Structure formats: C-alpha cells, structure tokens
Amino acid sequence: MAEETMKDYTREIENSFRKIKEGDIIDGTVIGVTDSEVILDIKYYTQGIIRAEELSDDPKFSIHKDINVGDEVSATVISTDDGEGNILLSKRKANEVLAWDKLKAFLESEEYVDVKISEAVKGGAVAFLEGIRGFIPASKLDLSYVEEDNIKDYVGKTVKARVITADEENGKLVLSAKEYLKEQADIKRKEMISNVEVGLVTEGTVESLQNYGAFVDLGNGMSGLVHISQICNNRIAHPSAVLKVGQKVKVKVISIKDGKLSLSMKALEEVAATEIAEEKIEYTSDGDATTSLAALLKNAGF
C-alpha cells in the first residue's frame, strides 16, 4: 500500500514538472465554476483556466448547468500563461479535435444517439452532438418530409438520431432521426401483422400503383400488396385500369410471409358471385321452389 502511495506521489511530481505546450490536449478535473470561467486541477504546478467563451459552440450551453465540480474535462492549451501564471485552456477547441473522432465512430457503428433540436433553419433543423453543430434535413426529421412551416414544432425535442455524414475537413455533420422512427414503426407493424389471420376481410385505401399490383394502406401503419392477378377476374394491363390512388377498396388477406401481407380483391368478387348464385336457389318460406330454382330443374330435365 505504501509502495503504491509512493508511486502515485512520484507520478504527480513528474506530471507537475512535465512540459506543456500550446496545442496539447490535457485532462483535468473541475474544481471551481464561476460566471466567467471554469477552474481545473490539471495535476500541474499551476491550475488550468477555461473562459466561458471557450467552453462550447452550442448557444444553449450553460456554464452552471452543464459543468459541475468533479467533472473530468479534456481541453486544448491555448496559452501557457494567462497573465496570472495559469494555463489557459479551450474545451471548445479540444471538442473539435476529439469530437470528430467520436462522430466518425458513430458513423461507422450506425448507433443511435440522443440529440436535442435547438433551432429551425431553412431546409431542416440544428442539433449539437459532441459540441459540433449538426444539421438534420427536413426529409430526415420524421418518417415523412416535414414542411418548412412545421420544422419549428420540433425545436426543444430530444430525438434519437444517426450520424449519416461526418466530414471533418469541411466541418459538415449531418444527422437523421428517420431511421430510428422507421425501425420502431416496422417493429410495431410486424407485431400487428402477427395478429392478422389469413382470410381476414377488411377495408383499405390504395396508396400506390405499380406495374405488378397495388399497395393498399390498411391503417395503423399496415399495408399489403394486391398483385395485378388478384385485382379482378378480368385481365388488365395495369392496375390503373380499374384502380386509382386514394380509392377505398375491400380486400381479403390471402397470405402472410416474412411480415408481408398479400391481399386479394378478386377473391371477394368470387365470393360475391357465389353468394348471388346461392340466392337464386334458396327456398321460399312456404317450401315452394323459387322461379329460378324451377327453371334450373326444368333445364336439367326434371
């Protein structure tokens, strides 16, 4: 124990006499916070000072809320003497160096990070990550494109985002909140589909027409494909021959595979035709056959 204590003491003595030069990134522990500066213990013969303007580029940053005594901070040496014998440091400059390494790691790992949207700008929103100003395009802010007038509604919200561009050379950081929302929507959709049974008849809205069929929105984030061969009994060259986007249609679930629904409109036509045929051979309440049934019997030679 005594040997370890002596080693620690020796290490601190060595650190206090190490050569510190401008541009170095050093670590320190916050030992004081005022309105204008943060004081660090940098294991040196003098203290480190970070002035308020050198803490962060984030306009929402608060020296009293975001920095606390005991925090470990990395900062860049901008002067070895602030005029009072202290080492003058910049957390903001260190952030720029260290942050891009983290941002590139986020880009490679594709992990989600929580960011708070601080500002609405033309074409999207601004959110800071690792002290770096990031841009979230309007097309990546939600599941669907967010109109210019509605971007302001996202200010102040915390979203899970993914780094999609981390260009240190040009200082370009682009984020996207869409992927996480899409994953969650897909999970919810699969859960709902797992409760759907083949044979279910429901109503939906035609959301798009393709050469091979029509996609029908069933609500609650669920949709399915009506293959062109399942649209009607007649042969058609394209779904647009009988359908249009926005049209309400009744469909029957005929298959569920890999979380996807296959639908049919033709099956309901066939069911309707069967029901009509059955209606023609129903007996009346007094037991006499209907005209249709009598005609059928006559045609059969009875």
Side-chain angles (χ1 to χ4, degrees), residues 25-163:
I25 295 178
I26 60 177
D27 297 325
T29 304
V30 177
I31 57 174
V33 180
T34 71
D35 290 340
S36 60
E37 64 184 25
V38 171
I39 306 162
L40 298 183
D41 174 7
I42 56 174
K43 299 291 188 280
Y44 202 54
Y45 66 82
T46 188
Q47 296 172 332
I49 302 294
I50 307 176
R51 291 173 180 158
E53 63 270 20
E54 290 296 332
L55 285 168
S56 175
D57 286 320
D58 188 345
K60 303 292 184 181
F61 185 88
S62 167
I63 192 169
H64 290 294
K65 290 182 180 178
D66 297 318
I67 292 286
N68 300 290
V69 171
D71 287 353
E72 295 296 323
V73 173
S74 295
T76 299
V77 177
I78 55 178
S79 175
T80 54
D81 189 346
D82 68 345
E84 296 181 6
N86 297 308
I87 304 293
L88 197 59
L89 303 167
S90 172
K91 183 176 182 294
R92 181 176 60 81
K93 288 184 180 297
N95 282 348
E96 291 177 3
V97 175
L98 300 174
W100 284 107
D101 290 338
K102 288 185 179 179
L103 296 174
K104 289 172 186 174
F106 288 147
L107 176 65
E108 291 177 8
S109 67
E110 296 186 339
E111 66 183 282
Y112 294 112
V113 290
D114 290 329
V115 295
K116 188 174 183 178
I117 297 171
S118 59
E119 184 184 359
V121 295
K122 184 175 177 59
V126 171
F128 283 81
L129 179 58
E130 298 296 329
I132 303 296
R133 186 179 190 272
F135 177 66
I136 307 178
S139 60
K140 299 290 186 180
L141 199 52
D142 213 322
L143 283 171
S144 57
Y145 184 87
V146 178
E147 296 297 333
E148 200 81 25
D149 292 342
N150 298 327
I151 296 174
K152 63 182 183 298
D153 297 336
Y154 290 80
V155 174
K157 292 184 178 180
T158 297
V159 299
K160 286 192 178 295
R162 179 180 285 175
V163 176

Side-chain angles (χ1 to χ4, degrees), residues 86 100 117 138 195 197 274 281:
N86 297 308
W100 284 107
I117 297 171
N195 293 318
E197 295 182 357
T274 302
I281 59 172

